[in-house]
Amino acid sequence: MPLKLKETTDCWDFLKKTDLPIFMYGMGLGAEKILSVFEQYGIACAGFFASDGFVRGHYFKEHLVHSLSEIEEQVPEFVVVLAFAAGYEELYDRIMDISKRHIVIAPDVPVAGEGLFTYEYFEAHRGEFEAVYERLADQSSRDCFENILNFKISGKPEYLDLCTTTREEIYESVIPLRDGEVFVDLGAYNGDTALEFASSCDAKGIKYKSIYAFEPNAKNYRKLNNNTSELHDITTFNACAWNECGELRFTKNEGRMSKASASGEVVIPSLAVDVAVEEQATLIKFDVEGSEKEAIEGCSRQISNGANVICALYHRNEDMFAIPLQILALNPDCKIYVRHQLYIPAWETNLYVVSSK
């Protein structure tokens, strides 16, 4: 069955042409990124609002920040543009509830790299998207792939709602855990995914062999060590995963957003997993803020030899096709799946690779 998309109108074109006033939900870096695109397209922003508990009479971009209820009292009909990420259920449900009363657009602005994910961009790479789509191992993956592409073009959060699955399903039916797992966690943050992996093993009565966790940010690295101190056989690296061993400049951002940058303020060791981890990995997780290509290159031996993979597909516009094709080139006989976990925008959309070796 060929890849078919319902959406051909970019969210930016819709926002430019709508006669309704546009109010932005949220402030900060996300809002600034979207406003810069508004400027390119000549889109007018009527104002800003925040969740009720965050309204304190302050201003953003010379606009008084209102609550949603205040705007609804004054403006009968308007478009809501979401300017932040919603990754927990209460906030997610609040946004979906707003979408029942107003048009809600959650623009897809890439975390790394340049450009926007538009229908024109999709058409320019249609062959690559179709090559990945044809290799997806089940109908759920194909449905998810289409829904994510429709979302990225239109910004309509209902497409994400159609394909959201639970974390529990991943280790239940997509990535089978086995005794003796060797888990390599690239972009380990504060240890949350290492703990999730260990907990999933415990729940299944499975004994993993070892965990290797890589985290470049110094503050996050300290949290990683503190939070995983009771896990057995875990080795941590205050380094980034790369295609060679050396040093890289990194931003000082805290949280998950610290990333490699030529203008970065700090110098961080870089390691190729094929060099740093001598034993054969059975499962590798990649969430390295746009450096997935280089990190995969540094794991080429591990992947070619049969490591299963979990990899983020949402940092760069090309990730949805470039990452699967890169891994298929290393392990042509593997099965690939795509799943999206609860998040707006399309963050937490991941590739799952199951090796036949």
Side-chain angles (χ1 to χ4, degrees):
M1 184 179 297
L3 172 60
K4 294 182 180 179
L5 298 188
K6 295 179 180 179
E7 300 292 341
T8 59
T9 300
D10 304 332
C11 67
W12 311 107
D13 288 330
F14 166 79
L15 293 170
K16 181 177 181 178
K17 295 175 182 177
T18 183
D19 293 327
L20 297 174
I22 299 167
F23 287 88
M24 197 169 294
Y25 184 9
M27 295 146 284
L29 181 59
E32 290 177 356
K33 281 187 172 183
I34 294 171
L35 285 172
S36 68
V37 182
F38 274 22
E39 186 175 350
Q40 294 174 35
Y41 278 78
I43 300 169
C45 180
F48 301 84
F49 70 92
S51 302
D52 288 351
F54 293 89
V55 176
R56 53 184 186 277
H58 59 296
Y59 285 78
F60 182 73
K61 300 296 180 180
E62 301 181 352
H63 286 268
L64 178 65
V65 178
H66 295 276
S67 67
L68 175 59
S69 58
E70 288 174 334
I71 295 174
E72 288 177 326
E73 288 175 3
Q74 300 170 27
V75 184
E77 193 175 0
F78 55 91
V79 176
V80 174
V81 170
L82 187 67
F84 60 89
Y88 60 92
E89 195 166 354
E90 181 184 354
L91 182 54
Y92 181 93
D93 289 345
R94 186 186 311 156
I95 293 166
M96 298 309 296
D97 182 63
I98 293 172
S99 72
K100 297 174 183 177
R101 308 192 303 276
H102 306 284
I103 297 172
V104 174
I105 300 295
D108 184 82
V109 181
V111 175
E114 303 297 328
L116 298 169
F117 198 106
T118 62
Y119 186 71
E120 182 181 7
Y121 179 86
F122 167 77
E123 283 292 343
H125 296 280
R126 177 184 280 274
E128 292 147 301
F129 283 115
E130 289 181 340
V132 173
Y133 184 79
E134 290 171 2
R135 282 297 308 267
L136 293 172
D138 64 358
Q139 189 59 44
S140 293
S141 294
R142 290 185 284 274
D143 291 343
C144 184
F145 197 76
E146 288 182 337
N147 280 314
I148 294 300
L149 292 176
N150 279 314
F151 166 77
K152 284 174 147 318
I153 291 166
S154 70
K156 297 176 181 178
E158 52 262 39
Y159 284 111
L160 300 181
D161 209 40
L162 288 171
C163 63
T164 295
T165 189
T166 63
R167 291 180 181 274
E168 289 74 21
E169 182 194 341
I170 303 307
Y171 290 130
E172 285 291 334
S173 60
V174 181
I175 295 283
L177 293 177
R178 303 156 291 184
D179 280 326
E181 291 279 1
V182 177
F183 179 46
V184 178
D185 190 355
L186 307 181
Y189 185 41
N190 62 8
D192 55 348
T193 45
L195 291 168
E196 180 182 288
F197 165 79
S199 176
S200 297
C201 288
D202 287 344
K204 292 178 174 295
I206 290 169
K207 294 182 179 180
Y208 68 83
K209 183 180 178 183
S210 49
I211 297 173
Y212 297 87
F214 293 66
E215 172 52 46
N217 182 275
K219 185 176 181 179
N220 294 338
Y221 181 71
R222 290 193 293 272
K223 292 179 180 179
L224 163 66
N225 284 319
N226 289 335
N227 293 338
T228 62
S229 60
E230 295 186 6
L231 295 183
H232 68 85
D233 296 299
I234 181 168
T235 303
T236 63
F237 302 86
N238 187 194
C240 68
W242 200 246
N243 54 12
E244 61 183 1
C245 298
E247 292 182 334
L248 288 174
R249 289 195 170 275
F250 252 68
T251 63
K252 290 177 67 176
N253 297 354
E254 303 299 345
R256 294 188 183 272
M257 302 300 288
S258 181
K259 58 187 178 182
S261 171
S263 59
E265 304 93 333
V266 295
V267 176
I268 300 291
S270 62
L271 293 174
V273 170
D274 282 346
V275 175
V277 178
E278 293 185 1
E279 62 180 324
Q280 174 62 39
T282 61
L283 177 60
I284 308 174
K285 184 219 83 179
F286 298 85
D287 188 354
V288 289
E289 301 303 326
S291 297
E292 280 76 14
K293 176 181 182 293
E294 293 80 7
I296 291 168
E297 290 172 351
C299 296
S300 59
R301 172 178 57 81
Q302 297 275 9
I303 294 171
S304 296
N305 287 344
N308 291 339
V309 170
I310 301 173
C311 187
L313 288 181
Y314 52 87
H315 294 123
R316 295 179 179 271
N317 287 333
E318 65 268 27
D319 284 353
M320 291 280 287
F321 63 83
I323 289 173
L325 294 176
Q326 183 182 7
I327 290 177
L328 284 166
L330 294 171
N331 188 352
D333 297 325
C334 67
K335 291 183 177 181
I336 62 172
Y337 303 81
V338 175
R339 294 290 189 274
H340 172 75
Q341 295 165 23
L342 187 145
Y343 227 103
I344 304 174
W347 301 357
E348 291 305 316
T349 301
N350 296 311
L351 176 73
Y352 299 92
V353 179
V354 179
S355 177
S356 60
K357 297 179 180 180

